[in-house]
Amino acid sequence: MSDAQAFMRRAIELSRDNVKRGGGPFGAVIVKDGRIVGEGANRVTASNDPTAHAEVTAIRDACTRLGTFDLSGAEIYTSCEPCPMCLAAIYWARLDRIHFANTKVDAAEIEFDDQFIYQEFAREPERRRIPMRQMLREEALAAFRDWQASATKIRY
């Protein structure tokens, strides 16, 4: 068995254990330099946090353990193809590669369907199911100017 298979099996094990505890069937591990540096399972219902998907909890765990917000050089093994939110989080965390087991189609078949989110992204903001309205842009730009001028900013 390869290391990659072992890492994916750990993600799957986390997903199955989570189901036994009443959570969603999703697990993920972050691997860097050949070792697991972060693990996560879907904690949405357990924590009443809609952002607590397995990939996000694994990213949070890895960042805490490594003391960084930049996971360059690391890879994620996840029991299912990431949803749009998790995919965005993976890009923000700068992970190098994504390995997944189940597909988004598999997830949709058990009523975890994210297709509507992809469709919403394609619509103009004002035509989305949750309407968006821009306001007070000039006032808000002050924070951007403050950040840009800050000598203590940390780029990410």
Side-chain angles (χ1 to χ4, degrees):
M1 172 175 55
S2 72
D3 287 347
Q5 289 174 329
F7 297 140
M8 184 59 78
R9 284 194 173 105
R10 177 62 183 150
I12 293 167
E13 178 183 22
L14 289 167
S15 71
R16 296 194 73 201
D17 288 347
N18 204 50
V19 170
K20 292 174 189 169
R21 289 190 304 276
F26 305 98
V29 298
I30 308 288
V31 174
K32 187 168 186 177
D33 300 325
R35 66 182 180 90
I36 294 174
V37 295
E39 293 188 338
N42 182 286
R43 306 277 307 144
V44 171
T45 57
S47 64
N48 292 318
D49 178 355
T51 68
H53 290 200
E55 296 89 341
V56 172
T57 60
I59 289 168
R60 290 172 181 163
D61 186 40
C63 288
T64 298
R65 287 191 203 188
L66 298 175
T68 183
F69 57 82
D70 184 345
L71 296 177
S72 295
E75 300 181 351
I76 188 166
Y77 291 78
T78 180
S79 65
C80 188
E81 185 175 356
C83 75
M85 177 186 69
C86 293
L87 187 58
I90 289 165
Y91 276 95
W92 277 112
R94 297 186 180 102
L95 290 159
D96 288 0
R97 187 177 300 259
I98 302 166
H99 307 270
F100 65 93
N102 294 317
T103 68
K104 63 184 177 182
V105 173
D106 297 328
E109 288 176 1
I110 61 164
E111 299 180 15
F112 287 94
D113 190 356
D114 301 318
Q115 189 57 39
F116 79 96
I117 297 173
Y118 291 107
Q119 292 167 347
E120 286 290 296
F121 286 166
R123 292 185 175 151
E124 292 298 316
E126 64 277 1
R127 301 195 67 197
R128 293 179 180 153
R129 185 165 47 168
I130 300 175
M132 297 175 68
R133 177 178 77 151
Q134 184 179 22
M135 50 190 300
L136 301 178
R137 178 174 179 257
E138 290 304 316
E139 289 180 39
L141 283 172
F144 282 12
R145 288 189 291 272
D146 293 345
W147 184 85
Q148 192 171 25
S150 173
T152 61
K153 70 181 169 230
I154 299 171
R155 294 188 183 275
Y156 58 95

